[in-house]
Amino acid sequence: MKKESISRRSFLKSTAMAGALGAIGTGSAAVLTSCGSGAGSGVAANVPLKEPGTYYIPDLVDFATDGKELKAGVIGCGGRGSGAAFNFLAAANGITITALGDTFKDRVDGLADKLKSEKGIDIPADKRFTGLDAYKQVIDSGVDMVIVATPPNFRPIHFQYAVEKGKHAFLEKPICVDPVGYRTIVATAKQAQAKGLCVVTGTQRHHQRSYVESYKQIMNGAIGEITGGVVYWNGGMLWYKERQPAWSDCEWMIRDWVNWTWLSGDHIVEQHVHNLDVLTWFTGLKPVKAVGFGSRQRRVTGNQFDNFSIDFEMENGIHVHSMCRQIAETVSNVSEFLQGTKGSWSTGGRETAIKDLKGNVIWKYDGEAEKANFKQTDPYTLEHVNWINHIRSGKPIEQASETAVANMGAIMGRESAYTGKQTTWDEMTASALDLYPKDIDLTGKMAISGFGAGKEFKLPDYIPIPGKAQGNQTR
C-alpha cells in the first residue's frame, strides 16, 4: 500500500494564501501559555516536527476587520443553523443575513422571528425558502456566502451547488456520511480552490485558542514524535423527536435526524468527528485501518448504535484508540490524549497541558490569560471571524478536504463496528456505499418498513448486527 501522509505543507501550497498566512498568530503564545518546572530549557531544545511557517495558524482576533459588505444565506435553520447564524453576526460589522432555507417552514419562520426580535433583521417572505430544494433558492438569492447546517447527508450536494455558483461556504461538521459523499466533498473542495473561494468547516477546535497553541507546541517538538493516543466523546443521550401523527416517515426522520444513520452518519461521525479531527490534525496522518465494535443499548428512536470502540492504525503504523458513547447516567469524558517519545499532551476538563515522561507538567495553556487578553473566547464565533477575514482580505482558505479525512476515519470506524470486519482507507474511499435515498419524498411515498404504508421505497430499518448481513444491508 502506498503511504501518503497528509502534508499540511503541500495542502497550503495548493491554496493562494500560504505565503501570506503561514505564520500568523505565532506571537500570541506568550500570553496564552505557562510553563512548569524545567519547561523553559526543555522546550527550547526541542527538534521541531514542522518548521514554523509551513503549517497554517489562524489569526484568532476578537473581531473581523471591516471591509466589503457581505450578505449571507442560512441553509438549515434548526438548532445548529440558528446558532451559527448568530455566531456569524457576532463576528464582524457590515454583514447581514438576507435569506433562509430549510425543509420545514416552521424552522425558517422560527429563525426569522428570532433574527428580527434580537438583531432587527427582517427576512422578507420571498427570501424564506422551504422544501428539499430550498438550498438552491438560498444560494441563487443574491448572497455572497452560505452557512450550511442541514442534516449531514445533505451537505455534500449543498456544498457542490454553492461552489458551482461561486459562493463562499461555511460547512458544519460532519461534512459527509458515506464514501460517495466523501468523494463529492473532495472533488468540490478542489473546485473551490480553483475558484479562490473561502471554505471553513465547523470543526471548531481549529479555532479554539487552547488547541491552536497546543498544536504549535507539539509541532515545535514538545512531546517528540507522536507514538499513540486516545480520543473520547463519552456523553449522555442526545435529543430525539417523538413521531407526530401528521408527519410522514420521511418528515419524522429528518426532524429526528441525529438518530438515523442515513442522515447523521451515526454519532461516531456526527459528534465524535471532533476528536478524530484533532487526531488527524495533530499527527498529520490519516487512518489506514479500523477494527471496532459497538452496540445499541438505550437509544429510543432511529437505527443507530449508542456506543463505539475503535482501534485505528495510522499510516505510519501507530495505533490510536477511539471511544464514544451517548448513554444517559454514564461517566462522561470528552478529551484527547497523545503520547510522544518525550512526553504527552492532553486536554479536556479544566486543563490543557504537556507533561514529560515522568509526569511533570512542562507546559499548560493559560485560560485566565486568554480571558484577560481577548474579548472573544468562543470558538464557534472565531470560526466566522476567520472566515470573514479571509473573504475580505482576498486570501482563500479551504478546510473541507482536511475535515474530510477525519470524517472518513469516522465512517471507517462505523462500518467496522456495524459489520464486525476490518475496514481500510483504500477500500472505504473507493466504496460504492451511498446512504442517500434515491426516492426521497416528504409526502409519504418513501417509508420506513414497519412504520409507514408506502410501497415505492423501503428504507432499511434494521439495526446492524456485526458479522451478519441483514435486510438489504450491502456493507
Side-chain angles (χ1 to χ4, degrees):
M1 179 185 298
K2 182 180 179 181
K3 297 187 175 182
E4 298 176 349
S5 64
I6 305 165
S7 168
R8 293 185 69 85
R9 183 193 299 266
S10 63
F11 172 75
L12 287 170
K13 282 182 178 178
S14 69
T15 70
M17 66 178 189
L21 295 180
I24 284 179
T26 56
S28 62
V31 297
L32 299 180
T33 65
S34 58
C35 298
S37 59
S41 60
V43 173
N46 291 333
V47 176
L49 300 184
K50 295 181 181 178
E51 292 295 335
T54 65
Y55 50 85
Y56 175 65
I57 298 295
D59 190 10
L60 299 182
V61 294
D62 287 328
F63 206 62
T65 303
D66 289 345
K68 176 187 176 183
E69 297 283 321
L70 295 170
K71 297 181 294 183
V74 179
I75 304 169
C77 300
R80 184 76 285 271
S82 297
F86 280 83
N87 295 143
F88 170 75
L89 293 171
N93 292 316
I95 59 175
T96 191
I97 293 171
T98 60
L100 303 177
D102 195 280
T103 305
F104 307 113
K105 185 177 185 298
D106 60 293
R107 293 291 195 184
V108 172
D109 290 343
L111 179 52
D113 291 346
K114 192 174 181 180
L115 287 171
K116 186 172 183 178
S117 64
E118 298 184 23
K119 293 293 183 179
I121 297 174
D122 189 5
I123 307 295
D126 65 350
K127 297 295 184 180
R128 303 184 189 188
F129 306 107
T130 60
L132 293 172
D133 288 334
Y135 71 98
K136 292 183 178 179
Q137 296 167 297
V138 171
I139 291 167
D140 292 338
S141 69
V143 297
D144 303 298
M145 56 216 292
V146 289
I147 296 168
V148 180
T150 50
N153 198 331
F154 300 125
R155 290 175 194 165
I157 59 175
H158 294 178
F159 180 40
Q160 187 178 47
Y161 191 75
V163 171
E164 178 186 327
K165 297 295 184 175
K167 309 300 181 183
H168 305 290
F170 174 83
L171 306 177
E172 255 306 340
K173 61 77 214 165
I175 55 178
C176 58
V177 302
D178 54 39
V180 171
Y182 165 81
R183 292 193 294 272
T184 300
I185 288 288
V186 171
T188 304
K190 291 179 180 178
Q191 294 170 358
Q193 290 179 18
K195 290 187 174 185
L197 297 173
C198 295
V199 181
V200 168
T201 61
T203 46
Q204 79 275 356
R205 284 163 170 77
H206 284 261
H207 295 91
Q208 188 168 339
R209 293 189 182 98
S210 59
Y211 281 88
V212 172
E213 294 301 328
S214 296
Y215 178 74
K216 288 158 61 176
Q217 290 290 328
I218 290 172
M219 291 306 99
N220 193 41
I223 68 171
E225 295 287 338
I226 298 171
T227 57
V230 191
V231 293
Y232 304 93
W233 193 305
N234 292 336
M237 183 179 73
L238 216 57
W239 59 267
Y240 66 94
K241 298 290 185 181
E242 293 185 356
R243 176 72 177 270
Q244 300 300 308
W247 293 350
S248 67
D249 291 345
C250 186
E251 178 170 353
W252 178 40
M253 287 187 286
I254 293 176
R255 289 186 182 274
D256 188 46
W257 65 268
V258 293
N259 297 287
W260 296 92
T261 300
W262 77 272
L263 283 159
S264 79
D266 212 317
H267 68 100
I268 189 175
V269 175
E270 197 281 323
Q271 186 178 68
H272 190 42
V273 70
H274 280 302
N275 315 98
L276 295 172
D277 169 68
V278 172
L279 167 65
T280 56
W281 172 27
F282 278 41
T283 64
L285 301 168
K286 67 172 181 279
V288 294
K289 296 178 184 178
V291 176
F293 54 84
S295 66
R296 179 188 178 93
Q297 301 292 330
R298 292 170 58 188
R299 191 172 290 275
V300 177
T301 65
N303 65 338
Q304 298 182 175
F305 283 1
D306 52 22
N307 62 93
F308 290 88
S309 179
I310 313 294
D311 171 61
F312 286 104
E313 181 180 333
M314 309 304 285
E315 56 190 323
N316 67 348
I318 69 171
H319 283 253
V320 176
H321 183 213
S322 152
M323 185 190 299
C324 59
R325 178 173 59 198
Q326 289 182 344
I327 301 178
E329 300 176 351
T330 59
V331 64
S332 296
N333 183 0
V334 181
S335 66
E336 299 88 20
F337 172 88
L338 294 176
Q339 181 64 53
T341 54
K342 292 178 55 180
S344 64
W345 168 82
S346 62
T347 189
R350 297 182 178 180
E351 184 175 80
T352 297
I354 290 174
K355 297 179 181 179
D356 64 20
L357 294 176
K358 294 182 178 180
N360 300 308
V361 175
I362 60 172
W363 175 90
K364 66 179 179 180
Y365 182 74
D366 194 337
E368 294 303 314
E370 179 184 10
K371 294 176 184 177
N373 287 281
F374 294 96
K375 296 178 181 178
Q376 183 56 262
T377 60
D378 177 21
Y380 293 96
T381 299
L382 291 172
E383 293 172 329
H384 294 276
V385 170
N386 193 41
W387 185 35
I388 293 164
N389 272 340
H390 275 276
I391 293 170
R392 284 181 167 168
S393 65
K395 296 171 181 175
I397 181 173
E398 189 281 286
Q399 293 187 326
S401 56
E402 183 180 20
T403 302
V405 174
N407 213 146
M408 176 49 68
I411 293 168
M412 289 169 60
R414 180 194 72 207
E415 292 303 309
S416 177
Y418 276 9
T419 63
K421 302 181 185 300
Q422 175 181 274
T423 57
T424 70
W425 177 271
D426 289 347
E427 290 170 350
M428 288 305 302
T429 55
S431 170
L433 178 61
D434 183 357
L435 300 183
Y436 197 91
K438 297 298 183 291
D439 298 309
I440 187 167
D441 189 306
L442 290 170
T443 65
K445 293 181 180 179
M446 171 183 165
I448 314 168
S449 177
F451 287 95
K455 302 297 183 183
E456 297 185 21
F457 182 87
K458 295 291 184 183
L459 190 73
D461 64 340
Y462 61 84
I463 307 304
I465 299 176
K468 180 181 180 182
Q470 185 171 345
N472 60 358
Q473 182 175 1
T474 57
R475 294 176 175 84

